[in-house]
Amino acid sequence: MAKIVGIMTTSHVPALGKAIHLNLQQDPYWKPFFDGFPPIREWLDRVKPDIVVSCFNDHGLNFFLDKQPTFAIGTAPEYISEDEGWGIPTMPSFPGAEDLSWHIRDSLIRDDFDMVTCQEMLVDHAFTLPMALMWPEQKWPVKSVPICVNTVLFPLPSARRCFKLGEAIGRAIAAFPEDAKVLVIGSGGLSHQLEGERAGFINKEFDLKFMDSMVNDPQWATQFSDIDLVEQTGNEGVELLNWMVARGTVPGPVKVVHSNFHIPISNTAAATMLFEPI
Ligand code: DHB
Ligand code: FE
């Protein structure tokens, strides 16, 4: 049977792609963020997941304002890394966990989630950077299931709906008949706003409360509407919805294996957490 062995949530900032390319992990500006990853890599070496289910937002590479699914899932044999315009290096392509993708997709649709099925999907920095942070040699030892959440075109799915999607993904994984150790990823956030009058907005107090809620009260953020979340976390801070999906896959108690928070990386309050189900 498939089993969720961990949940890893992290910010994704395109400039990290440049920093990785230029080997700036020990540079004083970048070090506080990159230092969040050695403990995660130790855990990966020990636990050795087979498959990642990555919950993230596409930034205009597959979907934009012309066509924007609220939720989409990849069912492809392979996912090709593309740069959606930041000038960051692409990465080797990612093998797809096709059987698990189709199984989750069928299960979610039967569970009343209207997933868009993507038999082809490009992956941008929100998918690729967490992978490269976990496996810096970029030889992927896992197969992937990408799940996209609309954090771009309003109204967004509510935090409540995202958590419920996570719960449904968790049920689907538990019902997958093949043996597989699954790591769930939530990519995005925490507070940041890239444009407009509030460009550069960061809300440390909210971020720390949100990180605490991920451990102790995972449905805390379901009280907020999409507009509340923009107000509290910035226009791009709403990417924390991807964390809600990821945490929803294990809705009960979790143990924190590692946690890191640093302001800023580029325009973002950057956080990384790793949880194990109890
Ligand atoms: C930045 C953060 C993001 O989440 C993103 O998608 C693009 C840029 C930033 O802080 O620069
Ligand atoms: Fe982003």
Side-chain angles (χ1 to χ4, degrees), residues 115-156:
M115 308 304 290
V116 169
T117 307
C118 301
Q119 299 200 54
E120 286 183 0
M121 188 192 274
L122 300 171
V123 284
D124 72 17
H125 72 274
F127 178 92
T128 62
L129 288 174
M131 298 294 277
L133 290 161
M134 289 191 294
W135 293 288
E137 58 294 341
Q138 299 186 17
K139 291 190 182 118
W140 320 119
V142 289
K143 292 184 172 179
S144 296
V145 177
I147 295 182
C148 296
V149 176
N150 167 33
T151 65
V152 175
L153 182 63
F154 286 76
L156 311 179

Side-chain angles (χ1 to χ4, degrees), residues 5 43-44 47-54 77 79 93-97 127 130-132 134-135 137-145 181-183 185:
V5 291
W43 181 88
L44 290 167
V47 176
K48 294 188 173 45
D50 310 298
I51 298 179
V52 301
V53 172
S54 185
Y79 299 96
S93 62
F94 299 84
F127 178 92
M131 298 294 277
M134 289 191 294
W135 293 288
E137 58 294 341
Q138 299 186 17
K139 291 190 182 118
W140 320 119
V142 289
K143 292 184 172 179
S144 296
V145 177
K181 288 183 275 185
V182 178
L183 171 64
I185 297 174

Side-chain angles (χ1 to χ4, degrees), residues 12 59 125 239:
H12 61 232
H59 295 74
H125 72 274
E239 292 176 345

Side-chain angles (χ1 to χ4, degrees), residues 78-106:
E78 158 180 71
Y79 299 96
I80 294 172
S81 154
E82 275 286 354
D83 172 30
E84 78 276 22
W86 297 98
I88 58 175
T90 56
M91 297 182 197
S93 62
F94 299 84
E98 278 179 276
D99 291 350
L100 182 59
S101 275
W102 282 106
H103 167 86
I104 293 175
R105 176 248 178 218
D106 292 359

